[in-house]
Amino acid sequence: MPPSTWESIRARKQAEHESRIPFEWRLPSDLIPSESDTSALNVTDVPRKCGLLSSRELDITEKYDATALAAEIRAGRLSCVEVTDAFCKVRKQRSTEEVQALLIEGEIMFTDAMNRARWLDARYRATGGKTVGPLHGVPISLKDTFKVKGYDASIGIASLAFDPATENSSLVDILLEAGAVIYVKTNIPQTLMALDSDNNLFGRTTNPLNRKVTAGGSSGGEGALVGMRGSVLGIGTDVGGSIRIPAMCNGLYGFKPSVGRVPYAGQQNPQLPGASKLALPASAGPISTTLRDCELLMRVVSGAKPWERDPEIRMGRWENMDDLEVGVGEKQRKPVIGVVWRDGLIEPLPPVLKVLEEVVDKLKDSGVEVVRMDIPQFQKCQSLANAFFGADGGNYVFDLLEKTGEPLTKWLSTRLRRKKALGPDELRELHARRTELETEFLKIWKTVGGKRVDAFICAVAPHPVPPIDRWNGVSYTSSFVLLDYPAGTLPVRLFRESDLKGDMGGEALSAWDKVNRGLWDEKSIDRGVYVGTPLSVQVVAPKLQERRLCRAMEVIDEALRSSKPAAKL
């Protein structure tokens, strides 16, 4: 029998996908916009317009975050079945709507999810109202890289399809033990090496806020699903910005921990096992609608003692991690937040600098001390990170593609080539340069006067959310993978008409900068595409200080959301 072609595998996979959506759950065809339909760019109102969800079900999916849902289920005011049902069914749920309109989902697990919800409810009743764990009944979505027993983890590559996982990824087991309901895995870019989530198996994920702009990658399906409230809490991974970028694109909170905090073991990757130890390992983390849900996930994971099941995890409970040093009583001090305006490689476009200025002003008004940070070493990070990304030459992923004759997607076809893998001496040199940079960066966490900088803010990207396939450099995100700093995306506001003003001066700093300027040049782009898209900032803390990062994000978030002074913590 001849080997299957990628086209035949795609047809089978899409048929399987379709079969998991009951006919009666599907949207009417007139509510599913075509790719060419520009009259319905923002589709976040489809769940309300379609009439398939009851008011209670809309409340469940719109008015609660994961923390609140867990509390309502724990108190018996909501059942696991009705919550899971609200996040699964098209007639009563928005996820399936997104499958049809936005191609967000990869693996659909609705039947198993409902069975688990029934078991959780039965357990709750039988034990007199005791929950299995802190996530009892909370639906959680996963990036397609995570393995769930009985389901594929194809990462959008045909040769990896129809090979169901025989065991769960470590993090999946932790979530299930905490009571979560896993109901869907979400779309990613082919090879995971792109910032738009497009592949030959499932297609392209589009942004529910504006289908003309990117949903981001490589956790783009997670970002879009949470952004449309088809998920209350999603788990992505990040090795160049793949949590923070989709969070920015969809107006969400994204939290990238340092490596060794959240279990990564047992995932499907586009490299051979062990390859990440030679280059830059990825980390897993949450994408959510609230900052407290990011902390919830981090607390649940650390409370499960993940170091006992994943050898890469560092021991340490959340409550024992470093926090903001604000002191008490007479020794109480203001938080100190740094601001990094630019990386020296790609100059941020005017609206990006404008929103940074707004955040700085809000922080100062709330009593936070803000210090300017000039980091000349910042511009050295991107080229070194890129060298690590190409360490294996991409050979394993090309082997996977060639098994079925699968081509690269259009965007990747001009950027990805087989190369010779780096040798031991070349890798040793890269790691020596990385250590040198890490050592230099240790100095940035003290001001000239010797004060500790609690965290700093900078851009997530040097441009607003761009049109599809036009994301520029990742220096503002990949640098903190190179340094292994925890970093998070924090939404600020939407892009306004007034943000369209401003021009770029001076000469381009680099080839990357030249491309970036093209995203503001009215000869090559209609700036109006940005209106209504989210504007965010990035918050960064020292290595392995996730609790400190979370507290700093909390301080900044409170300053942005409140007009009242919050001088000291």
Side-chain angles (χ1 to χ4, degrees):
M1 182 176 179
S4 297
T5 64
W6 71 272
E7 294 99 333
S8 66
I9 294 171
R10 177 178 64 179
R12 289 170 54 207
K13 193 66 184 172
Q14 292 185 354
E16 176 192 74
H17 192 271
E18 189 81 1
S19 71
R20 292 176 178 172
I21 307 173
F23 180 79
E24 64 272 16
W25 292 6
R26 300 175 189 178
L27 273 184
S29 59
D30 62 337
L31 285 177
I32 304 173
S34 66
E35 285 190 26
S36 60
D37 182 5
T38 59
S39 64
L41 296 179
N42 186 318
V43 294
T44 56
D45 61 350
V46 169
R48 285 197 165 274
K49 288 168 60 178
C50 71
L52 299 178
L53 287 82
S54 71
S55 59
R56 182 173 174 85
E57 289 153 353
L58 285 167
D59 282 350
I60 288 172
T61 58
E62 291 181 351
K63 294 187 176 180
Y64 298 94
D65 62 0
T67 303
L69 273 180
E72 291 296 297
I73 292 170
R74 188 162 54 246
R77 290 187 288 268
L78 289 174
S79 71
C80 301
V81 165
E82 65 179 327
V83 170
T84 302
D85 186 69
F87 280 95
C88 283
K89 292 180 181 176
V90 165
R91 182 174 291 177
K92 303 176 181 179
Q93 184 265 11
R94 65 187 68 232
S95 275
T96 313
E97 297 161 7
E98 294 162 6
V99 173
Q100 298 175 69
L102 300 171
L103 291 169
I104 285 174
E105 296 177 351
E107 297 296 320
I108 294 174
M109 311 174 187
F110 297 162
T111 299
D112 284 347
M114 290 302 298
N115 288 337
R116 176 166 171 79
R118 294 185 190 98
W119 178 84
L120 287 167
D121 279 339
R123 176 73 178 268
Y124 181 86
R125 291 190 297 268
T127 57
K130 292 183 180 179
T131 58
V132 168
L135 297 176
H136 186 101
V138 176
I140 291 182
S141 54
L142 302 170
K143 186 175 183 176
D144 192 52
T145 53
F146 288 93
K147 292 184 179 179
V148 177
K149 189 175 181 179
Y151 293 90
D152 283 349
S154 64
I155 60 171
I157 295 176
S159 64
L160 294 176
F162 299 103
D163 183 18
T166 56
E167 58 183 19
N168 295 328
S169 298
S170 296
L171 182 57
V172 173
D173 281 333
I174 287 173
L175 295 172
L176 292 173
E177 289 166 14
V181 176
I182 307 299
Y183 67 112
V184 68
K185 293 205 297 173
T186 52
N187 204 26
I188 39 73
Q190 181 194 51
T191 77
L192 305 181
M193 300 178 193
L195 295 169
D196 248 288
S197 296
D198 180 26
N199 63 70
N200 292 321
L201 274 188
F202 298 111
R204 183 187 295 278
T205 295
T206 55
N207 192 317
L209 295 173
N210 181 346
R211 293 188 302 117
K212 279 190 174 182
V213 302
T214 181
S218 60
S219 307
E222 279 304 315
L225 191 65
V226 178
M228 196 163 170
R229 301 291 300 203
S231 172
V232 70
L233 177 61
I235 313 296
T237 65
D238 193 313
V239 75
S242 298
I243 288 172
R244 292 160 289 160
I245 288 170
M248 169 187 151
C249 293
N250 295 279
L252 303 167
Y253 297 85
F255 197 92
K256 179 203 82 72
S258 292
V259 172
R261 285 299 190 207
V262 176
Y264 194 86
Q267 292 197 53
Q268 180 64 58
N269 287 302
Q271 299 95 20
L272 287 167
S276 65
K277 287 183 174 291
L278 303 176
L280 298 179
S283 58
I287 297 175
S288 62
T289 58
T290 63
L291 181 57
R292 68 176 185 171
D293 279 357
C294 292
E295 181 170 358
L296 172 66
L297 188 278
M298 297 301 295
R299 283 184 178 276
V300 168
V301 170
S302 73
K305 299 181 180 180
W307 50 88
E308 294 182 354
R309 65 181 85 203
D310 184 342
E312 301 299 322
I313 296 298
R314 295 172 185 256
M315 183 176 179
R317 289 186 177 274
W318 180 258
E319 56 270 20
N320 296 330
M321 295 180 193
D322 193 22
D323 206 338
L324 293 187
E325 291 180 353
V326 294
V328 294
E330 294 181 359
K331 294 183 177 181
Q332 192 173 14
R333 76 166 179 90
K334 299 176 182 178
V336 179
I337 303 295
V339 56
V340 177
W341 295 101
R342 47 188 54 83
D343 71 353
L345 182 67
I346 309 175
E347 180 69 10
L349 299 181
V352 176
L353 289 175
K354 182 180 179 181
V355 82
L356 272 173
E357 290 169 359
E358 290 173 6
V359 174
V360 167
D361 289 343
K362 286 280 191 179
L363 286 171
K364 289 178 177 177
D365 289 345
S366 69
V368 173
E369 183 175 353
V370 180
V371 296
R372 180 188 179 100
M373 298 173 70
D374 295 311
I375 309 175
Q377 305 96 318
F378 203 168
Q379 63 184 300
K380 300 178 184 178
C381 293
Q382 177 62 38
S383 60
L384 183 55
N386 282 346
F388 274 115
F389 293 150
D392 72 344
N395 291 292
Y396 177 65
V397 78
F398 275 101
D399 290 343
L400 291 175
L401 294 170
E402 289 171 6
K403 284 182 178 181
T404 62
E406 180 179 354
L408 289 170
T409 57
K410 182 178 179 181
W411 189 88
L412 284 170
S413 66
T414 61
R415 293 166 172 83
L416 199 60
R417 296 284 186 276
R418 271 192 189 270
K419 295 179 181 178
K420 182 181 178 182
L422 297 182
D425 283 343
E426 293 168 302
L427 287 169
R428 178 198 55 75
E429 174 61 24
L430 291 182
H431 281 284
R433 288 169 56 194
R434 183 187 184 192
T435 300
E436 183 179 347
L437 261 182
E438 288 176 311
T439 304
E440 289 179 29
F441 265 82
L442 291 175
K443 301 170 186 175
I444 74 171
W445 298 106
K446 291 284 186 182
T447 67
V448 174
K451 287 185 179 179
R452 181 179 108 154
V453 177
D454 293 305
F456 66 79
I457 60 170
C458 65
V460 183
H463 49 69
V465 182
I468 289 169
D469 279 341
R470 291 194 67 179
W471 193 277
N472 190 27
V474 293
S475 57
Y476 286 86
T477 49
S478 65
S479 297
F480 307 121
V481 174
L482 179 76
L483 297 165
D484 199 20
Y485 286 171
T489 295
L490 195 153
V492 178
R493 62 171 175 84
L494 297 181
F495 196 109
R496 304 167 184 147
E497 292 279 350
S498 58
D499 297 319
L500 295 171
K501 300 174 182 178
D503 293 304
M504 299 292 290
E507 297 295 320
L509 302 175
S510 64
W512 289 107
D513 193 38
K514 184 177 181 180
V515 174
N516 194 55
R517 288 166 182 257
L519 290 170
W520 197 243
D521 186 345
E522 292 181 293
K523 295 178 181 178
S524 62
I525 195 168
D526 175 7
R527 293 182 188 175
V529 73
Y530 299 129
V531 176
T533 60
L535 288 168
S536 306
V537 295
Q538 184 172 199
V539 188
V540 183
K543 184 175 181 176
L544 291 168
Q545 297 193 37
E546 284 76 17
R547 191 169 176 226
R548 178 168 159 181
L549 172 64
C550 194
R551 290 291 166 266
M553 291 178 71
E554 190 176 79
V555 166
I556 298 165
D557 203 37
E558 287 178 359
L560 292 173
R561 314 300 165 201
S562 175
S563 58
K564 298 179 181 179
K568 295 181 180 180
L569 295 184

